[in-house]
Amino acid sequence: MSETKYLKVFLDDIGHSVHCMNTIAVSLSQLTQETTPPKELNISWNPGNVDSSSINARRFAIKSSIVYSVESLFEYLSKISKDNFWSGTGKNFNESSKQNISKADRVSDFLTGIPNIEKEWMILTELLCHWRNKVVHASSSNACISKSSKQYLRERSQQIFDDLHHFDVNIALDNFENKKFTLKDVTTLITMLIKCARAVDSYFISTAKSLSDASIYEALLSNDSFQTIVKQSESGKRYRQSIKWVELNYGFLGKGTIESVVKACLLYTSDAAD
């Protein structure tokens, strides 16, 4: 198990969002003025200008994908912050020492200091989070990355262009300011979300695996779902269910660690019951 259950859900959500956005874009490219909706759809569709309608529909799909993808990142960071194995890192997406801080800024704060996250990944992830705010709050949003972040991206524009399949940060920043939505911008920025989430996940796993058996033991016993299993009557079934639960949720700990810690948890619970 090289990824957490949280990352798996996040990647599934992101993949679904991007696939749907691309499917819509491809379908819209096939529309002509002569296109008529299939009768089984039972809808009224009479665009005055198919090209204009296609552009607007594609723009809507891109905006929807921005919101869906960013919300998926928020959910991922929120859930992993609540995990007992994360508590020792000192980072918590759900809490902030700053007042009235936006979620986009909370993402930036959370990602700062996570190993193996390039600075431009973090800034571009924050940019997409702010872009989400522009979609949701429309004209009332003044969301934006800092001047220093913009300057950093512009200074690194050629390197980013080379590294990210000809992604032009200068064009992307202009599109952000002008509320223009393109597939190139969004698919590249969603890739940054994925890169950052993978780095967070890797950090989570390495942190958990570095814990002592005693700390792992305490973390497991603090989980209500796991407690429900180990508090069952002593039996082979209880042992098998306990092992299975830990493998499903923390398989990255390794078979040996899982077996020894589960045995200790079951022994403690049986002794406590006596």
Side-chain angles (χ1 to χ4, degrees):
M1 182 179 181
S2 58
E3 61 188 33
T4 66
K5 59 182 180 180
Y6 311 116
L7 183 66
K8 185 179 186 306
V9 171
F10 170 74
L11 293 178
D12 286 347
D13 284 347
I14 289 286
H16 173 76
S17 174
V18 172
H19 176 74
C20 289
M21 176 178 65
N22 291 343
T23 299
I24 292 170
V26 171
S27 300
L28 290 171
S29 70
Q30 306 301 312
L31 291 181
T32 68
Q33 199 65 45
E34 289 72 37
T35 302
T36 57
K39 292 182 179 180
E40 58 268 22
L41 287 182
N42 195 29
I43 60 171
S44 174
W45 185 73
N46 298 295
N49 185 305
V50 167
D51 290 339
S52 178
S53 293
S54 296
I55 290 171
N56 288 332
R58 176 168 156 161
R59 188 171 187 264
F60 178 83
I62 293 172
K63 290 165 67 176
S64 299
S65 189
I66 290 174
V67 174
Y68 193 93
S69 298
V70 171
E71 289 294 333
S72 294
L73 178 68
F74 292 162
E75 184 71 6
Y76 167 75
L77 296 179
S78 175
K79 285 185 177 297
I80 208 165
S81 291
K82 293 175 182 177
D83 193 286
N84 293 326
F85 285 100
W86 183 264
S87 58
T89 65
K91 287 181 173 290
N92 191 336
F93 179 72
N94 303 302
E95 298 177 2
S96 176
S97 58
K98 302 176 183 178
Q99 293 184 344
N100 302 319
I101 185 172
S102 70
K103 280 190 174 181
D105 291 328
R106 278 160 57 187
V107 167
S108 181
D109 285 351
F110 187 92
L111 296 179
T112 299
I114 298 290
N116 302 317
I117 292 184
E118 302 290 340
K119 186 175 180 178
E120 54 262 37
W121 300 359
M122 185 173 65
I123 295 174
L124 291 172
T125 292
E126 183 188 354
L127 177 65
L128 191 61
C129 292
H130 285 304
W131 221 323
R132 171 261 182 203
N133 293 340
K134 279 185 175 288
V135 172
V136 173
H137 302 293
S139 59
S140 65
S141 174
N142 58 0
C144 190
I145 59 175
S146 68
K147 290 182 178 179
S148 59
S149 291
K150 288 182 183 178
Q151 181 179 351
Y152 180 84
L153 291 179
R154 295 189 191 281
E155 290 174 349
R156 295 269 299 163
S157 61
Q158 185 58 54
Q159 187 64 49
I160 293 172
F161 184 84
D162 294 338
D163 292 345
L164 300 181
H165 306 288
H166 300 169
F167 176 69
D168 192 320
V169 294
N170 293 300
I171 292 177
L173 289 171
D174 287 343
N175 289 341
F176 173 81
E177 294 295 338
N178 296 317
K179 298 181 182 179
K180 183 178 179 181
F181 301 87
T182 71
L183 280 172
K184 180 64 174 178
D185 289 341
V186 175
T187 53
T188 302
L189 294 178
I190 287 176
T191 299
M192 297 301 99
L193 265 63
I194 294 172
K195 284 180 176 290
C196 288
R198 286 192 180 280
V200 170
D201 219 61
S202 178
Y203 179 57
F204 173 89
I205 290 173
S206 64
T207 299
K209 291 178 72 171
S210 69
L211 295 174
S212 65
D213 282 3
S215 296
I216 294 173
Y217 164 91
E218 290 177 4
L220 290 177
L221 284 180
S222 298
N223 187 288
D224 292 339
S225 296
F226 184 68
Q227 278 199 36
T228 299
I229 296 173
V230 299
K231 285 182 178 179
Q232 297 178 70
S233 299
E234 188 172 347
S235 66
K237 179 181 178 182
R238 180 182 69 151
Y239 175 74
R240 290 192 299 273
Q241 287 183 340
S242 299
I243 291 289
K244 186 64 174 178
W245 186 92
V246 180
E247 286 178 340
L248 287 173
N249 289 277
Y250 305 106
F252 53 78
L253 292 172
K255 183 177 180 180
T257 298
I258 291 173
E259 289 180 349
S260 64
V261 173
V262 165
K263 287 177 181 177
C265 289
L266 294 177
L267 180 61
Y268 170 80
T269 305
S270 296
D271 290 345
D274 294 340

